[in-house]
Amino acid sequence: MTILLTGASGLVGSAFARAAKRRGHRVIGLVGAFPGAIDGLEVKQQVDLSNDAATTAAVLDAFPEAIVNCAAVSVPEQCDANPALAQALNVTLPTTLARLAHHVSARFVHLSSEQVFDGTHSKPYAATDALAPINLYGRQKIESERAVHAAAADFAVTIRAPLLMGNSVGGQRSNHERLFADWAAGRTPRLFTDEFRQTCTAENLAEVMVELCERQDLRGIFHWAGTELVSRYALGVAIREHFKLTATQAPITAVARAEVPEAARKRQARLALNISPLAGKLKTRPQAVAEQLAELNVPPPCRAWYLGLQ
């Protein structure tokens, strides 16, 4: 099928392009200013996705069988810094895409976030649990979900995703890539020992999203994540050990949320997701942390630093 992909240069978007190509689909990728090649795309188009008319023209020109939305301002601090742009990409864009999906009868796969929850539950969140975001990003994701399913109820599926691992096109977007950037620059990241996430890789999530393009019988909101809940600190240590770095070469400071109350106020303590409803319907399987680590590469911007340690 022909799939129109927004955010094709991002961590999930680029992974989706590769996964869709492997399954024989034709992917038209929309990017902003990204100049490089993206593996898996048959066509790459530069489109201002904050411009409704430009987005509409791109969709109608492609007339796709499926639309996949991976474009977002996904860092909460960046949403706070530029709320107008975040609103345009996190809410207005998916709303427009959903209306267009309904218009051209295309499957619509929308990417949302675990941050629609407040992180106070001791049990994994179900898709039907009450929403209680603690930041602007989470509020925008809720608004986008409601708009998408109102505009394209017969065509749309939303995936709420967790903290993501993986190898981005530029080597600067994912969790391990940001850690490497700190270490290469001589900085010591501070990671919470009591902040827990159920991480998965962008590649694994992309496989799920490709399956959902093909499974038009699945509609509504679902959760996807890995199989293990792990603290930010434990994950950082696991990444360091995977790349055979020492604590001197790649230092990490362990901190508790109570030590940094201002930061903790804007971050959820525990985000575990109930993935059983979707995992029971797909061929793609959720991964343990060890499987996720095995997929990670040394980020290109940090390779010289890393090789210098060997």
Side-chain angles (χ1 to χ4, degrees):
M1 73 174 72
T2 295
I3 303 173
L4 184 85
L5 169 67
T6 65
S9 62
L11 179 64
V12 180
S14 59
F16 179 89
R18 295 189 296 270
K21 182 180 180 180
R22 287 194 296 270
R23 293 174 73 97
H25 300 299
R26 174 178 181 262
V27 183
I28 300 170
L30 306 187
V31 302
F34 183 78
I38 300 172
D39 185 31
L41 296 185
E42 182 167 315
V43 178
K44 187 186 80 168
Q45 296 180 4
Q46 287 192 323
V47 175
D48 178 2
L49 294 174
S50 66
N51 184 310
D52 188 77
T55 301
T56 299
V59 173
L60 295 180
D61 183 61
F63 220 89
E65 295 159 89
I67 300 171
V68 174
N69 180 40
C70 294
V73 180
S74 59
V75 178
E77 292 80 8
Q78 293 177 359
C79 293
D80 294 338
N82 193 340
L85 177 62
Q87 181 75 12
L89 293 181
N90 292 345
V91 180
T92 305
L93 172 64
T95 303
T96 296
L97 292 173
R99 286 200 301 263
L100 291 166
H102 177 79
H103 177 69
V104 302
S105 298
R107 176 64 154 162
F108 185 46
V109 180
H110 175 53
L111 189 60
S112 188
S113 169
E114 61 183 2
Q115 294 196 52
V116 297
F117 300 111
D118 62 7
T120 61
H121 282 203
S122 59
K123 295 182 179 180
Y125 284 96
T128 54
D129 281 343
L131 306 178
I134 64 173
N135 55 38
L136 176 61
Y137 177 60
R139 292 193 295 273
Q140 289 177 338
K141 280 301 184 182
I142 291 173
E143 189 177 352
S144 76
E145 291 177 5
R146 290 170 176 166
V148 160
H149 290 279
D154 293 333
F155 301 94
V157 61
T158 289
I159 299 296
R160 291 179 183 147
L163 175 69
L164 293 175
M165 306 257 272
N167 306 300
S168 68
V169 175
Q172 299 175 316
R173 296 202 176 197
S174 74
N175 188 53
H176 88 283
E177 291 170 343
R178 290 191 290 269
L179 286 175
F180 262 83
D182 281 341
W183 293 329
R187 297 187 294 265
T188 300
R190 292 159 55 87
L191 301 180
F192 288 118
T193 58
D194 53 356
E195 181 180 301
F196 296 89
R197 296 294 184 266
Q198 196 173 336
T199 182
C200 79
T201 65
E203 292 282 353
N204 184 250
L205 176 61
E207 293 285 352
V208 168
M209 295 172 75
V210 174
E211 275 203 72
L212 288 174
C213 286
E214 302 165 346
R215 289 284 306 275
Q216 299 194 29
D217 58 310
L218 296 176
R219 296 184 293 273
I221 298 174
F222 295 94
H223 292 169
W224 190 258
T227 61
E228 298 172 82
L229 193 66
V230 61
S231 75
R232 290 270 195 169
Y233 175 76
L235 184 61
V237 170
I239 290 169
R240 181 173 67 193
E241 292 177 349
H242 170 72
F243 288 100
K244 296 180 171 56
L245 293 167
T246 68
T248 300
Q249 295 166 331
I252 300 172
T253 298
V255 294
R257 290 167 56 84
E259 298 177 60
V260 195
E262 181 59 25
R265 185 179 64 83
K266 300 178 181 179
R267 302 167 66 102
Q268 298 89 342
R270 178 188 173 96
L271 287 174
L273 300 175
N274 181 358
I275 63 175
S276 297
L278 185 57
K281 295 178 174 65
L282 299 180
K283 294 180 180 179
T284 303
R285 308 314 307 156
Q287 296 177 314
V289 171
E291 297 174 273
Q292 299 172 40
L293 292 171
E295 296 183 13
L296 304 183
N297 301 324
V298 176
C302 301
R303 283 176 185 165
W305 170 80
Y306 183 75
L307 291 174
L309 299 175
Q310 308 308 306

